């Protein structure tokens, strides 16, 4: 018998690279930049950047903060590192030292940039085309000088609804982007599509696509069958097996009451590891048997370190056996749907937890 | 004008110590152990352990995994470090090196312990009294030998419903704990109450209370007015201010449509930082004005790095101004309620995010 206690996160960097290479075939004419903000959605920005750079030949990376850029810099020294949230006072030193490229999101950020310019760095300019999040609006774009415009290296925008292929906003935003670009930035390279927009028509691709979520295995085009691969497995050991008698409660606040005698497994993962607490009495885990997969329902509340699962109908399980929490058969998108969110948030939550025994496959 | 981009997490270690000392007055006869698993609910196990040890005179700490014990060991070398999930193969070396104390949760873990005993270490034994999570059941306790029992240093159990003072399970579990202890472990020290159970009657206190959540500012006794203090502030800067015209959409999937002209602020925090995505179109943030507090609603989807907030009715805000996400006026319990979970999960999610500019007040 094996006795383990910690949950395991396996990240398959080969599959990650497969996803990146596959996405490049969808937008073959565009430069394929990688988005590795949020520590590569929790999967480890350094490891991910290194493989995309060394094996994927990626030379353009997007992070949210300079501090994130600092983390990947040693692995991608000859590349452009764009910082999406722009340059703030608390990170100016890092920008300078590593020649990171700020994205200018507002006139205030432009003003700050002009006072703190970095020699040899040409910022990207972010314009809003309908998402109404970050980016200059047209009345602000009109205030840019010729010098401002010629100081930029890239004009970019962001689509709001690109995961729905026939959403009216997609073409509305594309038309607006084309119009603003032609009117104000005719000479700049441009970028509009992220992992979702890339699956729309070719005209969305522009000069550069920004590939994030789909590289990490998230299905960003649910309306078609894409070749995106799940790249992670999350596993957790059974650390105890016990019986419930009919009428027994299980878990905090006694939200589960056994209607008959049950066999339960206590599995070593909980919301402290990123397992969503709103999967209390809803979640399911999996066991890989010789020739088939069995599933067990989470019963009672998810607690910080453990979940309780009903294994009444699964034979031959013992303490030390490994359950699957996320795998090809139940991926982050599936868990996202069950917990009323999206795969992005699921991945971001699991990925950052230091308690996992973390393995990279490469 | 100040231009910042990163969100800020401030952790007040003085207030944390106040909470610990206050809780000690509730259970003055019991040893006050500290629960700092999950990186002290994300707040930094090393910093938290150091202050509780040095200024709170705490000598007993509970973690979930040996790896977590390793992190605090340098700060609490003369203390007992109990490992709640027990000893697994992957962590045996750490147990040995630091003489960590495993909690024995099952007969399988006992068997493993007996093969891998550490000289001078006496494990705790965990018994189940109705939570039906980890812990020996009575039929298993009966299989313990006298030698097994005399090798333990502590018998512990865990309450299921102690945040509700008149829940029938509280006394049922206490009676069961007393019976099992008297029958099988009459000579052992005992521990039953955590941060919630401590607020029940004195007989729940036993020899040791295990203080976690309430030390971190979570209200574990919502039925009474306790003196627990919120210990964190989460703040995030406005990085852009813009206008919406009536009919404009905001955020991914166009879930928000402006019914009139609005002024919006893009604030630099998102689900990548732990802000719950299910607060899309629901959340609120706060601004501290000279003599009052203004609140602004989150509109549209929460994205990974940003939220969009309606600031139409707040005058004089500008880029660089700091919004409050969590503070005394809207704490983790309040956000937990709004996002259909508990303060524990909120804290655990925010705390572990490396993107925060993190400050300790001490």
């Amino acid at each position: 018998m094996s006795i383990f206690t910690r949950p395991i996160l396996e990240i398959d960097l080969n599959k990650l690279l497969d996803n990146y290479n596959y996405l490049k075939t969808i937008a073959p004419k565009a430069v394929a930049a990688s988005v590795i903000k949020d520590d590569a959605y929790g999967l480890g920005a350094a490891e991910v950047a290194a493989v995309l750079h060394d094996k994927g030949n990626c030379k353009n990376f997007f992070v949210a903060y300079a501090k994130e850029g600092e983390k990947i810099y040693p692995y991608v020294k000859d590349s452009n590192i764009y910082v999406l949230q722009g340059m703030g006072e608390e990170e100016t030193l890092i920008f300078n030292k590593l020649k990171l490229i700020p994205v200018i999101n507002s006139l205030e950020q432009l003003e700050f940039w002009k006072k703190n310019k970095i020699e040899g760095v040409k910022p990207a300019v972010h314009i809003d085309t309908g998402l109404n999040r970050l980016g200059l609006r047209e009345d602000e774009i009109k205030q840019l000088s010729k010098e401002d415009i010629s100081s930029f290296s890239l004009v970019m925008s962001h689509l709001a609804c690109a995961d729905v292929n026939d959403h009216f906003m997609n073409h509305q935003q594309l038309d607006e982007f084309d119009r603003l670009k032609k009117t104000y930035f005719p000479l700049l390279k441009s970028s509009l599509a992220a992992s979702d927009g890339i699956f729309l028509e070719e005209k969305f691709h522009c000069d550069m696509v920004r590939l994030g979520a789909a590289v990490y295995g998230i299905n960003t085009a649910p309306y078609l069958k894409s070749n995106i691969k799940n790249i992670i497995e999350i596993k957790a050991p059974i650390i105890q097996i016990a019986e419930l008698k009919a009428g027994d409660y299980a878990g905090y606040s006694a939200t589960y009451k056994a209607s008959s005698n049950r066999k339960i497994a206590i599995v070593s993962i909980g919301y402290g590891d990123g397992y969503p607490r709103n999967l209390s009495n809803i979640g399911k885990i999996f066991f890989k048997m010789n020739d088939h997969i069995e599933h067990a329902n989470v019963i009672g509340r998810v607690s910080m370190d453990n979940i309780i699962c009903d294994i009444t109908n699964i034979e031959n399980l013992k303490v030390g056996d490994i359950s699957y929490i996320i795998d090809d058969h139940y991926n982050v998108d599936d868990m996202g749907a069950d917990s009323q969110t999206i795969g992005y948030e699921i991945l971001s939550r699991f990925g950052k937890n230091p308690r996992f025994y973390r393995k990279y496959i490469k």
Side-chain angles (χ1 to χ4, degrees), chain A:
Chain A
M1 180 181 304
S2 297
I3 298 286
F4 296 105
T5 58
R6 280 169 57 197
I8 299 155
L9 171 60
E10 276 185 17
I11 300 157
D12 191 325
L13 294 175
N14 297 318
K15 289 183 181 167
L16 176 133
L17 190 63
D18 290 346
N19 285 341
Y20 177 72
N21 286 328
Y22 165 66
L23 291 164
K24 285 205 285 194
T25 69
I26 306 289
K29 296 182 189 160
V31 169
S34 296
V35 182
I36 42 185
K37 61 184 182 162
D38 195 23
D39 198 27
Y41 292 36
L43 298 180
E47 290 81 357
V48 167
V51 73
L52 291 174
H53 177 272
D54 297 350
K55 298 187 180 171
N57 201 29
C58 182
K59 303 286 186 190
N60 291 276
F61 294 89
F62 282 83
V63 294
Y65 297 103
K67 198 182 172 212
E68 297 181 334
E70 191 177 30
K71 190 170 172 188
I72 65 166
Y73 177 78
Y75 307 94
V76 301
K77 283 184 181 170
D78 60 349
S79 303
N80 296 316
I81 303 176
Y82 297 90
V83 179
L84 287 161
Q85 298 288 95
M87 185 161 86
E89 290 177 25
E90 73 277 52
E91 298 196 309
T92 310
L93 284 177
I94 309 176
F95 271 95
N96 263 286
K97 189 172 152 201
L98 306 179
K99 296 201 179 293
L100 304 182
I101 305 169
V103 174
I104 303 288
N105 294 296
S106 64
L107 290 181
E108 290 85 352
Q109 287 193 341
L110 179 63
E111 188 186 339
F112 184 74
W113 164 252
K114 286 158 85 169
K115 287 185 190 144
N116 297 277
K117 267 184 199 165
I118 304 165
E119 207 188 306
V121 172
K122 299 189 79 172
V125 60
H126 188 182
I127 62 174
D128 185 78
T129 52
L131 177 59
N132 275 311
R133 204 178 51 180
L134 290 175
L136 300 179
R137 274 63 174 174
E138 188 169 8
D139 61 316
E140 297 171 308
I141 297 171
K142 284 180 178 167
Q143 299 177 47
L144 299 175
S145 69
K146 278 186 186 169
E147 290 70 33
D148 292 337
I149 289 170
S150 66
S151 75
F152 299 138
S153 56
L154 179 74
V155 58
M156 59 180 281
S157 191
H158 205 86
L159 297 165
C161 304
D163 58 339
V164 178
N165 58 330
D166 54 359
H167 200 290
F168 73 91
M169 278 196 70
N170 295 337
H171 277 89
Q172 188 173 303
Q173 285 195 268
L174 176 64
D175 293 347
E176 181 70 354
F177 187 62
D178 284 344
R179 184 184 70 79
L180 291 170
K181 179 178 150 32
K182 277 180 195 141
T183 309
Y184 301 103
F185 312 100
L187 302 177
L188 286 189
K189 299 277 187 192
S190 66
S191 176
L192 178 61
S195 288
D196 43 7
I198 192 179
F199 288 101
L200 304 174
E201 297 150 67
E202 188 181 332
K203 53 189 171 184
F204 285 87
H205 296 166
C206 308
D207 298 303
M208 179 190 280
V209 291
R210 307 185 305 268
L211 306 176
V215 176
Y216 308 120
I218 290 167
N219 184 0
T220 55
Y223 53 87
L224 57 76
K225 186 174 156 27
S226 83
N227 291 321
I228 293 297
K229 296 174 181 173
N230 167 53
I231 71 162
I232 67 165
E233 278 188 354
I234 294 177
K235 299 182 274 195
I238 295 180
I239 56 175
Q240 184 169 18
I241 290 176
E243 312 280 338
L244 291 185
K245 287 190 284 291
D248 281 352
Y249 297 93
Y252 284 120
S253 302
T255 64
Y256 174 86
K257 185 176 187 177
S259 57
S260 58
N261 294 352
R262 314 303 297 168
K263 188 166 64 165
I264 59 172
I266 318 302
V267 173
S268 195
I269 192 167
Y271 65 77
D273 307 292
Y275 192 91
R277 186 171 169 280
N278 73 358
L279 292 181
S280 297
N281 286 305
I282 289 174
K284 45 187 186 275
I285 65 171
F286 303 89
F287 293 95
K288 297 196 177 171
M289 317 309 269
N290 282 338
D291 57 353
H292 69 292
I293 290 172
E294 294 274 8
H295 82 271
N297 293 325
V298 172
I299 61 171
R301 288 269 168 85
V302 171
S303 49
M304 181 174 263
D305 309 312
N306 294 291
I307 50 178
I308 306 168
C309 300
D310 184 338
I311 57 166
T312 309
N313 297 319
I314 311 179
E315 289 180 3
N316 299 323
L317 286 180
K318 59 187 187 308
V319 169
D321 284 351
I322 299 294
S323 68
Y324 286 76
I325 310 296
I326 295 284
D327 69 349
D328 295 351
H329 162 257
Y330 184 77
N331 62 29
V332 290
D333 294 320
D334 297 322
M335 183 176 279
D338 283 346
S339 83
Q340 298 170 61
T341 187
I342 50 176
Y344 300 63
E345 190 182 31
I346 297 293
L347 193 53
S348 167
R349 290 180 61 174
F350 275 125
K352 268 167 287 183
N353 278 282
R355 308 207 293 187
F356 283 108
Y357 184 73
R358 186 182 277 242
K359 289 186 206 171
Y360 287 96
I361 298 169
K362 53 185 170 184

